[in-house]
């Protein structure tokens, strides 16, 4: 009788311990599962943030990563894994991808230690795709990377073959539909802005209200200013300077360049020489990089930027060695569909 009672007590104790053990290990498992999902949330946010920064702000992977790394410091878990999260960009495969990995994260256990398992090793990965999609329209209100040129607005249609001749900005006329003008990104607040007060530069430290096209900086630099601009043409083209006409956002202030150079013969010859060198940096010394698609800023009747049109440069014609009055640069283009970037979380 006593033995039966003892056996029952031992059985109850065994069941109790077993149930506690099962419950405890379930608790460890749930804790590890919750940690996995918290880590997955971090990597999901990482790839979406990186992709959106790259597409909508600046085509610079280092800057995109730095932005998210700074965001990680705002939480305890983010701080903990900030040095171990690894980003991988793939611009070769189609669509392009950005991946975030957290490998071998050790989540310590409590009850599982009784069974010799001190921690769970968690591996987390997220992938976002960046897909370029034709919009079906020649114009758009957003560009993830503008060309260093502007043209006057017109009734563009996909397939139109258009030739654009370089002209001094000082002689700008809205009626010149076959002319392209030089623009400068990250420009000083002392020259002829074409984006007007529609755009908010407050986060960039610029106050457009104080910009004055008649200030000394717009009348004295001349040749050296234009030479520096021409040297930066390929950098402007490759920098991924974004602009958004719906939100009034741009990476940096943008201005027409050349109004302060006048329209004398010597200034014309100087500009043609410098500009041709800069264009060759983009298209190649013999045009071997063509065709190239670019987002050109369009100008309205007041010379104010009002949108984007996408052109495919298919050829060029230049004369840079005759007398200055006979020199010219022409870009031969075709109007193509504007491009949009679609970002999707796929894993």
């Amino acid at each position: 009788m006593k033995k039966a009672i003892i056996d029952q007590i031992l059985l109850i104790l065994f069941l109790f311990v077993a149930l506690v053990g099962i419950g405890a290990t379930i608790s460890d498992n749930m804790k590890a599962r919750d940690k996995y999902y918290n880590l997955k949330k971090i990597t999901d946010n990482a790839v979406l943030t990186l992709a959106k920064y790259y597409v909508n702000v600046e085509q610079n992977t280092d800057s995109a990563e730095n932005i998210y790394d700074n965001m990680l410091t705002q939480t305890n878990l983010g701080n903990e894994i900030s040095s171990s999260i690894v980003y991988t960009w793939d611009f070769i495969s189609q669509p392009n991808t950005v991946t975030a990995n957290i490998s071998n994260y050790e989540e310590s256990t409590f009850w599982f230690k009784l069974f010799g398992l001190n921690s769970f090793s968690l591996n987390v990965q997220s992938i976002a795709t960046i897909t370029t999609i034709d919009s079906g329209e020649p114009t758009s209100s957003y560009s993830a990377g503008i060309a260093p040129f502007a043209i006057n607005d017109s009734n563009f249609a996909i397939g139109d073959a258009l030739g654009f001749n370089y002209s001094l900005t000082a002689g700008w006329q809205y009626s010149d539909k076959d002319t392209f003008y030089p623009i400068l990104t990250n420009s000083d607040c002392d020259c002829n802005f074409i984006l007007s007060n529609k755009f908010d530069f407050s986060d960039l430290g610029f106050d457009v209200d104080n910009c004055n096209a008649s200030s000394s900086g717009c009348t004295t630099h001349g040749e050296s200013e234009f030479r520096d601009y021409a040297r930066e043409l390929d950098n402007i083209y490759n920098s991924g300077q974004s602009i958004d006409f719906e939100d009034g956002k741009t990476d940096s202030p943008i201005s027409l360049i050349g109004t302060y150079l006048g329209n004398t013969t010597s200034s014309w010859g100087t500009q043609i020489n410098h500009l041709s060198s800069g264009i060759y940096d983009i298209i190649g010394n013999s045009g071997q990089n063509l065709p190239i698609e670019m987002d050109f800023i369009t100008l309205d009747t007041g010379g104010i930027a009002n949108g984007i049109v996408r052109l495919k440069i298919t050829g060029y014609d230049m004369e840079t060695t005759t007398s200055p009055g006979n020199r010219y640069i022409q870009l031969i283009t075709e109007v193509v569909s504007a491009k949009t970037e679609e970002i999707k979380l796929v894993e």
Side-chain angles (χ1 to χ4, degrees), residues 31-278:
K31 183 182 176 185
R33 184 192 63 184
D34 290 343
K35 182 58 66 69
Y36 173 86
Y37 285 122
N38 286 334
L39 292 172
K40 188 67 167 66
K41 188 181 297 183
I42 287 177
T43 56
D44 284 351
N45 289 337
V47 294
L48 290 174
T49 300
L50 266 59
K52 289 177 181 178
Y53 183 94
Y54 184 86
V55 168
N56 298 328
V57 180
E58 179 186 12
Q59 292 184 356
N60 186 310
T61 58
D62 290 336
S63 295
E65 292 173 13
N66 289 336
I67 288 293
Y68 193 69
D69 285 342
N70 289 334
M71 293 171 62
L72 286 175
T73 62
Q74 305 304 310
T75 65
N76 292 333
L77 182 57
N79 260 323
E80 184 183 347
I81 58 87
S82 60
S83 61
S84 58
I85 188 169
V86 177
Y87 311 114
T88 305
W89 300 81
D90 180 358
F91 296 113
I92 298 176
S93 303
Q94 293 297 329
N96 298 158
T97 62
V98 55
T99 303
N101 278 291
I102 300 174
S103 300
N104 301 319
Y105 178 90
E106 297 296 324
E107 174 66 10
S108 61
T109 63
F110 183 79
W111 297 102
F112 264 104
K113 289 180 181 178
L114 300 175
F115 304 100
L117 182 62
N118 293 324
S119 64
F120 294 116
S121 184
L122 305 178
N123 296 294
V124 185
Q125 175 177 273
S126 297
I127 301 174
T129 57
I130 304 172
T131 307
T132 301
I133 301 174
D134 286 346
S135 70
E137 299 291 336
T139 58
S140 64
S141 59
Y142 172 79
S143 173
I146 61 172
F149 307 121
I151 60 176
N152 289 318
D153 202 358
S154 187
N155 294 321
F156 302 106
I158 294 175
D160 285 349
L162 304 174
F164 294 97
N165 300 290
Y166 172 71
S167 180
L168 290 164
T169 308
W172 176 84
Q173 295 289 334
Y174 180 68
S175 58
D176 293 338
K177 303 299 185 179
D178 60 351
T179 304
F180 75 95
Y181 305 94
I183 64 170
L184 179 67
T185 60
N186 200 27
S187 52
D188 295 329
C189 189
D190 64 358
C191 291
N192 185 28
F193 275 81
I194 62 172
L195 295 184
S196 187
N197 294 341
K198 174 181 178 181
F199 283 78
D200 178 13
F201 297 140
S202 58
D203 58 341
L204 302 173
F206 285 85
D207 182 0
V208 181
D209 291 336
N210 292 329
C211 293
N212 183 356
S214 63
S215 67
S216 59
C218 299
T219 58
T220 60
H221 299 321
E223 180 181 348
S224 61
E225 185 90 5
F226 197 88
R227 182 182 63 245
D228 293 340
Y229 157 74
R231 288 173 176 170
E232 289 297 310
L233 279 186
D234 60 333
N235 291 331
I236 295 173
Y237 169 64
N238 291 309
S239 68
Q241 162 96 22
S242 69
I243 187 170
D244 189 332
F245 285 89
E246 289 186 358
D247 295 337
K249 296 292 184 181
T250 182
D251 290 349
S252 70
I254 302 171
S255 65
L256 284 169
I257 187 171
T259 56
Y260 48 86
L261 295 182
N263 55 6
T264 64
T265 301
S266 60
S267 293
W268 176 253
T270 297
Q271 289 196 39
I272 290 293
N273 286 340
H274 292 320
L275 191 67
S276 61
S277 297

